[in-house]
Amino acid sequence: MPLLEVRALEKHYPVTEGLLKTEVGRVRAVDGVSFTVERGETLGIVGESGCGKSTAATSLLRLEEPTGGQVLFDGEDITSYTPAELKRFRRRAQMIFQDPTSSFDPRMAVGEAVAEPLVIHGVGGRERRRRIVADLLERVGLSAEDIDRYPHEFSGGQRQRIALARALVVNPDLVVADEPTSALDVSVQAEILTLIERVQAEFGLAIVFISHDMGVVREVCDRVAVMYLGEIVELGPTADVFDSPQHPYTRALLSSIPEPDPWSRGLGTVLTGDVPSPANPPAGCRFHTRCPELVPPEGYEFTRAEWRAVMNLRIRLEREGIDADAVREFVTGEASGERLDDEVAAAVRAEFELPETLSDPSAERVLRDALDDVVSGDDDAARDRLAEAFPTVCAGDRPALEPTDAGHEAACHLHRGYESAPADGEGTQETAPGADE
Ligand code: ADP
Ligand code: MG
């Protein structure tokens, strides 16, 4: 039995309006996340800011009430725990936060702060607690003499050591560490990571290690869960995920790791744009609005970049629309009354990094008609035209987390018999004859 088993965990925040606080929507911060953590294991949760990592952490510890799913700890469902049971659970499962400064009361000496959980759980007398704390301070690389000093007397890295001591003082089985080194200088970061690894072995701890940094995750985690917009999109042993990433989002995160060798920099895809709002997540695969490897429609020969650009245009039309008059004003200058439709269309193309002509002439014809719709102010027609001519499974179906050929799990249509468009430069025509004019 795993130490921790998270099943379809969900945390939705209501979006309310008006005096009556009518619910008008929900922020799907965590939207059906499942994973296990074995005793003594470190599971990484990685993803960009806003993907729901912190919410997953606080919900699985019931620091916030989950809105759905189950959390089994040692086989018991903590979501049905009574307050007394929850208190016992809190002793066995601790959390460390990103900012060590805000987690300490400035008026409380370090010894008191570290001993606080012991007091809460009624462990030992004053003298015994002092001995435990002094011992722990040394084990996290501080000195027993630090016990009577105050938080402001320590550096950020030292404060994170104190936070670790406070988490360990009740001898927990599980520590959830939410970006514990993100606020620290790189050199200090490495020291704290080494300390966490050492302490983990010494205490036989299971750790859920949350980070937005793939490099950090690689260093400390046995397994890794890649999170995107409230969901896990890839899950597997760290070495496998790094050697053979199965989800385009993971590949994009990996290519953003700073490369020490400047000559190999800039390879791979770069992730552009922000994580969409979880109040209105994209239909189908949630990553389809940014995915570089989006499955192209049948019957056309798109290159990867072309297809991405066309989809960006379509998504913009679906989500916000395009103000053709504003583009026209920009193109013609305010005083001019000319229409300059071709120039307006060209400006829209440029904005979406669409080439002058797509390499596939029939795709180009569709695009051209859609741009005509845009120029004449009919966004809906443009949107429908693109959606109808260029359907993609990625925008239609939500892929489930399933085993891949690589052995570990990913949630992507590319593992279900679909293929992405060829990367640019891979067997595509330079120009499309007859597509121009
Ligand atoms: P991460 O830790 O990966 O950066 P978070 O879990 O902090 O992500 O946030 C996930 C999403 O949930 C974000 O869009 C955030 O704005 C939203 N969110 C977090 N807390 C709340 C809250 N209390 N009410 C509404 N939305 C929230
Ligand atoms: Mg966070």
Side-chain angles (χ1 to χ4, degrees), residues 176-339:
V176 177
D178 188 2
E179 310 247 14
T181 62
S182 304
L184 306 174
D185 291 345
V186 176
S187 59
V188 184
Q189 218 178 73
E191 285 173 24
I192 299 294
L193 293 178
T194 310
L195 172 67
I196 289 175
E197 282 192 289
R198 208 194 66 222
V199 153
Q200 167 171 46
E202 229 173 273
F203 288 73
L205 277 180
I207 299 181
V208 174
F209 189 97
I210 294 172
S211 179
H212 65 274
D213 184 337
M214 289 295 265
V216 168
V217 164
R218 174 163 50 191
E219 247 173 77
V220 296
C221 299
D222 302 309
R223 282 189 307 132
V224 56
V226 181
M227 235 182 130
Y228 187 74
L229 211 46
E231 302 176 327
I232 292 178
V233 298
E234 182 158 358
L235 177 64
T238 306
D240 296 358
V241 171
F242 277 77
D243 291 347
S244 177
Q246 296 297 302
H247 197 286
Y249 182 57
T250 313
R251 287 194 272 275
L253 287 179
L254 282 171
S255 67
S256 69
I257 297 182
E259 194 57 67
D261 170 11
W263 293 105
S264 55
R265 240 177 241 163
L267 295 174
T269 48
V270 182
L271 210 43
T272 54
D274 295 324
V275 181
S277 163
N280 183 19
C285 170
R286 290 189 177 169
F287 188 52
H288 91 260
T289 57
R290 299 167 78 202
C291 183
E293 299 175 50
L294 201 63
V295 174
E298 273 173 55
Y300 298 98
E301 299 204 359
F302 280 110
T303 70
R304 205 170 275 196
E306 284 175 344
W307 174 226
R308 185 64 265 172
V310 168
M311 271 307 277
N312 287 349
L313 172 64
R314 173 174 149 193
I315 289 161
R316 169 69 172 270
L317 288 166
E318 280 167 8
R319 297 221 143 200
E320 301 153 65
I322 294 172
D323 184 349
D325 289 337
V327 181
R328 194 183 311 279
E329 223 167 77
F330 171 77
V331 170
T332 61
E334 282 166 35
S336 164
E338 288 173 283
R339 287 193 57 82

Side-chain angles (χ1 to χ4, degrees), residues 157-180:
Q158 287 171 323
R159 278 199 287 261
Q160 208 52 300
R161 288 174 192 269
I162 300 168
L164 188 60
R166 183 166 60 181
L168 295 174
V169 76
V170 284
N171 210 357
D173 299 303
L174 173 71
V175 169
V176 177
D178 188 2
E179 310 247 14

